[in-house]
Amino acid sequence: QAQVVESGGGLVQPGGSLELSCKPSLYTSRMSTMGWFRQAPGKKRELVATIVRGETIYGDSVKGRFTISGDNAKNTVKLQMNSLKPEDTAVYYCNLIGGFGSIWGRGTQVTVSS
């Protein structure tokens, strides 16, 4: 069964940048959906950014600051996060949909603090 392999995350100061990356543990010829969600303490999980059949969608709170990119040949999706704010602090989850179905990563912590 395929699993999601996530990397990146950590502690960064306000205004800084981080890059998250994820890929499935098993190769698939094509993923129809590649996305990132996040969940802060006491809040519901929310969309950060996703690529659905080639269309890119961003959550309102990250537009203009975050960029998602997907490479089907490498089975990798990246999330470049710039101008980070304390309110971006959350656990970030990768979601991939492909021949293996829909799978979620375990989450990676992003903390924005001075």
Side-chain angles (χ1 to χ4, degrees):
Q1 183 176 358
Q3 297 180 338
V4 175
V5 180
E6 296 167 330
S7 61
L11 173 64
V12 65
Q13 293 186 343
S17 298
L18 281 176
E19 183 181 77
L20 305 181
S21 181
C22 77
K23 63 187 302 180
S25 58
L26 300 177
Y27 179 81
T28 183
S29 60
R30 190 165 188 84
M31 292 183 286
S32 63
T33 300
M34 301 175 280
W36 288 93
F37 294 74
R38 69 186 182 187
Q39 187 167 16
K43 295 187 177 181
K44 295 181 179 179
R45 188 172 296 189
E46 64 174 359
L47 170 70
V48 177
T50 187
I51 303 173
V52 181
R53 301 190 187 281
E55 179 181 0
T56 301
I57 302 169
Y58 290 97
D60 288 341
S61 61
V62 306
K63 287 180 180 178
R65 300 187 297 122
F66 291 11
T67 302
I68 188 171
S69 60
D71 187 333
N72 262 301
K74 297 181 179 179
N75 267 195
T76 299
V77 56
K78 295 184 178 181
L79 182 69
Q80 177 65 42
M81 305 183 292
N82 298 326
S83 302
L84 283 161
K85 305 175 181 180
E87 50 264 44
D88 294 318
T89 296
V91 178
Y92 285 68
Y93 297 90
C94 178
N95 174 233
L96 304 174
I97 301 176
F100 40 66
S102 177
I103 54 176
W104 288 84
R106 293 184 175 183
T108 184
Q109 178 70 45
V110 171
T111 302
V112 185
S113 175
S114 55

